[in-house]
Amino acid sequence: MPAYAVIVGSGALTLPFDFEPLDVSLRTRYGEASAAPLTGQLGSTKIIMLARHGIPHRIAPHAINYRANLALLQDLGIERIIAVNTVGGIAPEAKTGVLFFPDQIIDYSWGREQSFSDFNKLYHVDFSEPYDQRLRNELLAAATLAQLEVVAGGVYGCTQGPRFETPAEINRMDNDGCAIVGMTGMPEAGLARELAIPYACVCLVVNPAAGRSADSIDLDTLAIVSRSGMERIGRLLVSFFESLEEQN
Ligand code: HPA
């Protein structure tokens, strides 16, 4: 079974790779995962791709069964997870189109099943480095090799959605130190940590956050920017898996 999984969000199903559904049950002890994992080859590495919003894209960020998705990947023996998320840009460096590799996260979401802790097991995991440093550095190196424009570090603020934020909420997040805003970064990262699966995140900035441009946030524009940005995510992944092959 492949050791790598890529969890993809909006727009990522347009990635230019040949993938086919894996014939496994989506049922886990935490309920149903979002979609059948897709399997395919990047270079000589076989990977799993999981669409967190389902196929077709229909599950809202707050309604995603993050625990089932992570439990399914664990059951498949996944050893490292690359998360791809689209986000809005708050900080000036988080310009539309860049690839942003956060190194910290603030969770503003609420009411989501955010832990595997139960009456038998209690996970008090260290989360001072929410993203796996080694995997993050390898992804950054791959992005540099592929000559992609990146921002290496900053705070991801995870909102509840599915509506976008008010400018006042964005100002508050800015004051808190958030550079980017998305709706799906948590509890995914925390759950991966509970399972001790190294996890790193690459974000594609697809719009200025609310109040950070003269225009309101328009879904059609977001879809176009996401689609063109996914080509860069594709180049990042190819570069990453090619570098892996060279190391082996
Ligand atoms: N806010 C929250 N999530 C997002 C945004 C945004 O502006 N853009 C893409 N995902």
Side-chain angles (χ1 to χ4, degrees):
M1 222 5 106
Y4 277 87
V6 183
I7 305 183
V8 294
S10 318
L13 293 175
T14 58
L15 281 170
F17 305 131
D18 246 352
F19 278 72
E20 54 184 52
L22 201 61
D23 187 17
V24 291
S25 164
L26 303 190
R27 192 145 305 150
T28 73
R29 55 209 179 280
Y30 299 98
E32 283 226 342
S34 297
L38 305 175
T39 173
Q41 194 102 357
L42 275 190
S44 60
T45 313
K46 210 164 162 210
I47 69 165
I48 292 280
M49 192 148 89
L50 180 66
R52 63 167 79 78
H53 294 283
I55 304 175
H57 185 111
R58 64 181 192 289
I59 310 172
H62 67 285
I64 292 171
N65 191 338
Y66 295 94
R67 292 197 304 180
N69 288 350
L70 269 291
L72 181 68
L73 295 182
Q74 184 190 41
D75 291 348
L76 290 173
I78 293 300
E79 291 165 356
R80 294 178 109 189
I81 297 175
I82 300 169
V84 179
N85 302 73
T86 56
V87 295
I90 300 176
E93 69 273 18
K95 289 177 298 195
T96 299
V98 302
L99 298 187
F100 197 108
F101 292 78
D103 58 1
Q104 282 296 323
I105 191 158
I106 298 178
D107 189 4
Y108 301 90
S109 72
W110 48 271
R112 302 181 181 188
E113 295 283 4
Q114 48 153 335
S115 175
F116 290 110
S117 297
D118 57 26
F119 293 113
N120 297 312
K121 195 142 191 173
L122 180 56
Y123 291 92
H124 280 304
V125 291
D126 177 47
F127 209 41
S128 14
E129 291 282 353
Y131 302 107
D132 183 76
Q133 270 178 315
R134 179 159 166 218
L135 181 55
R136 200 174 151 272
N137 286 338
E138 288 174 10
L139 283 165
L140 272 166
T144 307
L145 266 181
Q147 298 184 319
L148 294 161
E149 194 186 347
V150 303
V151 179
V155 182
Y156 177 123
C158 182
T159 56
Q160 176 73 348
R163 65 164 177 82
F164 291 101
E165 299 70 37
T166 64
E169 287 169 333
I170 293 298
N171 287 341
R172 181 180 77 152
M173 294 175 76
D174 195 1
N175 285 336
D176 286 352
C178 296
I180 50 175
V181 53
M183 302 173 190
T184 49
M186 284 295 278
E188 204 174 84
L191 291 168
R193 179 58 53 84
E194 286 189 353
L195 298 182
I197 304 176
Y199 174 105
C201 165
V202 51
C203 297
L204 173 69
V205 183
V206 292
N207 60 286
R212 298 289 150 127
S213 88
D215 305 321
S216 51
I217 298 174
D218 169 59
L219 268 193
D220 292 337
T221 315
L222 289 205
I224 293 167
V225 179
S226 305
R227 222 167 292 137
S228 74
M230 282 308 143
E231 181 266 337
R232 290 193 291 290
I233 296 282
R235 274 167 50 205
L236 167 70
L237 294 175
V238 167
S239 168
F240 175 80
F241 286 104
E242 273 174 2
S243 328
L244 270 191
E245 280 162 40
E246 280 158 23
Q247 284 162 30
N248 293 334

